[in-house]
Amino acid sequence: MSKCILFVNISRTSTVLLSEAIYSSHGVLRLYLRCDIYRKVPKDLTQPTYTGAFISILCCVFILFLFLSELTGFIATEIVNELYVDDPDKDSGGKIDVSLNISLPNLHCDLVGLDIQDEMGRHEVGHIDNSMKIPLNQGEGCRFEGDFTVNKVPGNFHVSTHGATAQPQNPDMTHTIHKLAFGEKLQVQKVQGAFNALGGANRLSSNPLASHDYILKIVPTVYEDLSGRQRFSYQYTVANKEYVAYSHTGRIIPAIWFRYDLSPITVKYTERRQPVYRFITTICAIIGGTFTVAGIIDSCIFTASEAWKKIQIGKMS
């Protein structure tokens, strides 16, 4: 008998504890539900309208259009440029890579040479390293292609007959410049710069015995992509003049001079992409703002239509 009474008491205690637990959980759930700021309205308490349906469809199309526009802008990269005073490529050893491609259609390849000199005392006549001469016009002309380095100090390099074994009587220095570039080649469509400002320069109609001076102002340029990799190149502006030069013996010795000087200003181009958080913020603003404005418009139209109906009913009565 005592065992039965003990069992009944244990059962009652368990039931009470279970009830208290359930009540406590319901209290927590009710407290949790109070945090819902997006209260739901039963469908039978809402009223659809044709105007609301039209505005809703228009609103969705507008949101989709703005979303796709922002997505396109987020995927695309923008180029930001800045100017500062510095030597960007400090690991170059004070050297600048130069690439020259020039055609002299009326001067034999045996007479064509490249000379380099600068304010550091370099004076090199007949530079031949990493250079190539291609005969033109059945050997009457020459195309000179060369890759070489110059020091980061004012100087010049020139195409002439100074290094030839025998000087010609009337050397013809009419020419076409296909390429003159400094530093690394930048193949970036969004960067518009004068990296090959002399490319395509044609002096075939000039005086054959005239010398040509191209005065270059070289501007260091840095391009940094999204990964942080930097490429170093150089833009340049150019001015030119044409004149007849005589040697101390009275002979005309024409040449094609490229006189250069470096600017202390560096131009830096940086690739950037819109941050993800800004993209998300913009999308939220688009969706929220569009729905809010559309809701206000729909509410105004609905209120006006209801008021108009009441006025018509009042007139009828």
Side-chain angles (χ1 to χ4, degrees), residues 304-317:
S305 63
E306 290 296 315
W308 178 253
K309 288 179 182 178
K310 289 181 181 179
I311 293 173
Q312 294 298 320
I313 292 174
K315 287 182 179 181
M316 291 176 64
S317 62

Side-chain angles (χ1 to χ4, degrees), residues 52-301:
F54 174 76
I55 293 177
S56 298
I57 295 173
L58 191 64
C59 177
C60 292
V61 173
F62 184 67
I63 289 175
L64 180 62
F65 169 74
L66 292 181
F67 172 78
L68 293 177
S69 299
E70 285 297 323
L71 182 62
T72 303
F74 173 71
I75 295 174
T77 58
E78 62 175 346
I79 306 296
V80 180
N81 59 359
E82 58 181 318
L83 301 176
Y84 60 92
V85 179
D86 193 14
D87 179 12
D89 191 8
K90 296 182 177 62
D91 298 329
S92 64
K95 304 286 185 180
I96 302 177
D97 294 327
V98 184
S99 180
L100 175 64
N101 189 331
I102 184 171
S103 293
L104 298 93
N106 301 310
L107 193 63
H108 198 275
C109 282
D110 293 339
L111 303 174
V112 176
L114 177 69
D115 309 327
I116 306 172
Q117 56 187 11
D118 58 38
E119 292 187 358
M120 290 183 67
R122 181 181 181 183
H123 191 182
E124 185 176 349
V125 179
H127 179 87
I128 59 174
D129 295 338
N130 298 321
S131 62
M132 179 172 55
K133 299 178 184 179
I134 304 172
L136 299 175
N137 300 333
Q138 298 178 348
E140 296 298 323
C142 185
R143 178 166 179 160
F144 179 86
E145 299 179 8
D147 295 312
F148 53 97
T149 61
V150 295
N151 295 316
K152 289 184 178 180
V153 294
N156 72 79
F157 51 91
H158 51 277
V159 177
S160 67
T161 61
H162 298 166
T165 305
Q167 292 296 318
Q169 290 296 323
N170 297 307
D172 188 338
M173 301 304 292
T174 54
H175 61 278
T176 300
I177 301 174
H178 306 288
K179 178 184 178 183
L180 176 60
F182 300 85
E184 295 184 56
K185 183 179 181 180
L186 296 182
Q187 294 179 334
V188 183
Q189 294 181 352
K190 295 183 179 180
V191 175
Q192 302 296 329
F195 296 97
N196 185 24
L198 276 174
N202 189 320
R203 300 293 182 269
L204 297 179
S205 59
S206 301
N207 182 355
L209 298 178
S211 291
H212 300 266
D213 256 13
Y214 296 100
I215 297 108
L216 315 177
K217 193 70 172 181
I218 301 176
V219 181
T221 304
V222 182
Y223 184 84
E224 183 176 323
D225 58 22
L226 289 173
S227 64
R229 177 176 175 267
Q230 291 186 341
R231 284 176 284 176
F232 303 96
S233 186
Y234 296 85
Q235 303 181 61
Y236 62 91
T237 58
V238 58
N240 68 287
K241 63 179 180 178
E242 182 180 327
Y243 59 95
V244 177
Y246 295 88
S247 68
H248 63 280
T249 60
R251 291 182 56 190
I252 298 177
I253 306 179
I256 305 170
W257 297 82
F258 300 93
R259 307 181 192 273
Y260 63 88
D261 191 8
L262 272 79
S263 169
I265 302 297
T266 295
V267 180
K268 183 177 182 181
Y269 297 97
T270 306
E271 271 190 3
R272 291 181 183 174
R273 180 171 288 166
Q274 182 181 356
V276 178
Y277 72 86
R278 188 176 298 173
F279 172 71
I280 296 174
T281 302
T282 305
I283 295 302
C284 291
I286 289 173
I287 296 174
T290 305
F291 271 117
T292 301
V293 173
I296 293 174
I297 295 173
D298 180 62
S299 178
C300 292
I301 294 175

Side-chain angles (χ1 to χ4, degrees), residues 15-31:
T15 303
V16 171
L17 292 175
L18 181 61
S19 299
E20 290 179 353
I22 293 174
Y23 179 78
S24 177
S25 64
H26 279 299
V28 172
L29 289 175
R30 283 197 298 271
L31 182 62

